[in-house]
Amino acid sequence: MNKEALTFEIKKIDKKTGARLGVIHLPHGDVETPVFMPVGTQATVKAMTPEEMKEMVGSYIILSNTYHLFLRPGHELIKEAGGLHKFMNWDRNILTDSGGFQVFSLGDLRKITEEGVEFRSHIDGTKKFLSPEKSMEVQNYLGSDIMMAFDECAPYNATYDYVKKSMQRTTRWAKRCKEYHKQTDKQALFGIVQGGFYKDLRKQSAEDLVDLDFPGYAIGGISVGEPKEEFLDILRYTAPLLPQNKPRYLMGVGTPDYLIEAAIAGIDMCDCVIPTRMARNATALTHYGRLNMLNAKYEHDFTTLDKDCNCYTCKNYTKAYIRHLFKAKEILGARLLSIHNLRFLVNLMENVREAIKQDSLIDFRDEFYSKYGYDK
Amino acid sequence: MNKEALTFEIKKIDKKTGARLGVIHLPHGDVETPVFMPVGTQATVKAMTPEEMKEMVGSYIILSNTYHLFLRPGHELIKEAGGLHKFMNWDRNILTDSGGFQVFSLGDLRKITEEGVEFRSHIDGTKKFLSPEKSMEVQNYLGSDIMMAFDECAPYNATYDYVKKSMQRTTRWAKRCKEYHKQTDKQALFGIVQGGFYKDLRKQSAEDLVDLDFPGYAIGGISVGEPKEEFLDILRYTAPLLPQNKPRYLMGVGTPDYLIEAAIAGIDMCDCVIPTRMARNATALTHYGRLNMLNAKYEHDFTTLDKDCNCYTCKNYTKAYIRHLFKAKEILGARLLSIHNLRFLVNLMENVREAIKQDSLIDFRDEFYSKYGYDK
């Protein structure tokens, strides 16, 4: 039997919550968990260089999107370049999603069959096809350290019947992914638990996927627009259904409170486009809540974004200057807020890990929430 | 008498051309000449951080625009921030232009009188007024190391009569600037020679301004759309009219050939938006000519932009990747080409200085032209 691409160690469990402090050993280095993974959709974390992701943000793993790279520049080209790491000049870990979430988001532009999904490219309208096998081929060509099984993420308002069928197909697809994917010593393949907001379907999905014995598991299909209580309910129900000794990845999360709650629920990995997307929209995440830098009140504000942050941006620039950059539509504005927002979330998870070490994650959360202005 | 903000030393003169190797001593450090000054129009060199300007590009002086900063965020705000250096986090030298070139470019939106120029803001249409005194006030507030006198840059097709009157007014305005500007120990004020494409007017302008005894002189009103021979003719005629022992600045130049010819003609300083503007338009300046990165022929080109360049971009990225970034409209594309193009021109001038040391500037030019594909 081959050596596996991924091994996972749990170093410590928070006594009051069960939150896990761990290390994922991967082909491109170790990743301490719980971890926030910034998103580099099109083979670049928007507005950032790889060096900045290491030195200014402190990331050891980023996410990239199979759907986008499949369409442009194409996975064959990236293979020809020597793989995604080399293509984009990033020598730490990469997780790729399966393309499922994006193709299902296309609505009328896609058609689902048992075989896979036919869809039209959002770039040029040409017909394309993704299936479990094709998604594996694309991700194999990209050479990511962690690959995701091709799944369907059912919409929030889907009926029980729809979600059940979709979840069962997702399981059959997960099996096909596992059968297709050969280089398990180089790339770890995760299964994705679906089942919408129906607990019995979540349970079934988790059990079926655990039977397939993946090296890690994701929870998909929540944080898709539902109220926070429903999110927390399904999260707290589903996470414990997954094996203790394998990494658990909550997909598409996101905001500081969701990240902290995910860690408390026993999640090890999260990703979201929020920090870079907000940055380009002039919004800063800070310990004291979100700041919209276009707000006139910052015009003469010569203080830094966040007095509790020591990122490059907060060390060197004032709110007044950053506001000027956004008013003047200067690229540096998006850059400075991207650095800050990414560092903010990566640093948040560093603090979460430290709190787990001290068995004080609940205290950490309560203090964070009261500063930020969140309700508990 | 106060210490002057600027002193200039000529270290060596190229025996075959008269090109000058020098050092300008300024409040924010020494600048070796001939030098290319990148442009940071709105208090940022587009897409770049100050650290990148130092470490990746190697700039000791940048230019910023009075017109733009006067309108947004306003010179009072920048004064309140502690001056332009502090506002934008740049602790090396800054040259500010006078705003003249920009307001005269507004065409029908401005009205010239002896007192100054009334114009409408390109941002919000509000009425504004710039005069010699106002330009000095703005530049004093900005706190640039080198300030420019408020001048009129007559258009290329202007009549002899128009250019004569405009040149004479520019001289009267230069005198008013000199009278207004008090902090000559902190900021050096340059006069600008005008006179269009009429040599007798150029001579008159130079003589009158030399009489006013500025610490440095610029040549304005060429490189405004005329054929290259006319540019060279006026450049070569005007440069020797200026004092040997003071820095000579050719405004708004630009391309590699113009920069080399300027040095040969005895120019010490140049500036242009070309490297960053071209970068945002996907064009790379290289030793082998300009490359448009959107060209399909680079799709599978896994070589670097320029094999004779060792900038950050050329050390780490392929043409195929850069092309992908532009096709995908990713900010990193503009960033990588901005770094490369800026480094290319700053490095070009480093090589020009080295050639002057060796009395080999003509050989350097000829070799550069033959590689680049320029006609001599």
Side-chain angles (χ1 to χ4, degrees), chain A residues 36-40 63 223 249-255 259 270-277 342 345:
Chain A
F36 174 75
M37 303 183 289
V39 178
L63 186 144
S223 189
Y249 162 30
L250 176 60
M251 304 184 84
V253 164
T255 53
L259 288 170
C270 291
D271 79 284
C272 196
V273 297
I274 274 186
T276 45
R277 180 170 293 167
L342 287 166
L345 292 189

Side-chain angles (χ1 to χ4, degrees), chain B residues 13-21 33-35 228 231-232 235-237 239-240 244 248 250 253 256-270 348-349 352-353 355-356 359-369 376:
Chain B
I13 290 184
D14 180 70
K15 290 203 179 83
K16 292 172 195 147
T17 63
R20 304 131 59 92
L21 181 76
T33 58
V35 66
K228 186 168 177 180
F231 163 78
L232 290 174
L235 168 65
R236 289 168 183 162
Y237 176 78
Q244 273 288 338
R248 299 164 177 172
L250 176 61
V253 163
D257 56 335
Y258 275 45
L259 288 170
I260 295 173
E261 296 298 345
I264 289 173
I267 295 294
D268 309 301
M269 310 157 70
C270 291
L348 174 67
M349 299 316 272
V352 162
R353 295 200 293 271
I356 296 174
D359 294 308
S360 64
L361 186 53
I362 290 292
D363 298 338
F364 172 80
R365 178 193 65 182
D366 292 351
E367 198 187 325
F368 185 90
Y369 280 19
K376 243 188 274 181

Side-chain angles (χ1 to χ4, degrees), chain A residues 60-77:
Chain A
Y60 291 86
I61 184 166
I62 61 171
L63 186 144
S64 205
N65 291 104
T66 287
Y67 167 81
H68 292 87
L69 297 177
F70 171 55
L71 294 184
R72 182 172 59 197
H75 58 302
E76 295 92 348
L77 187 137

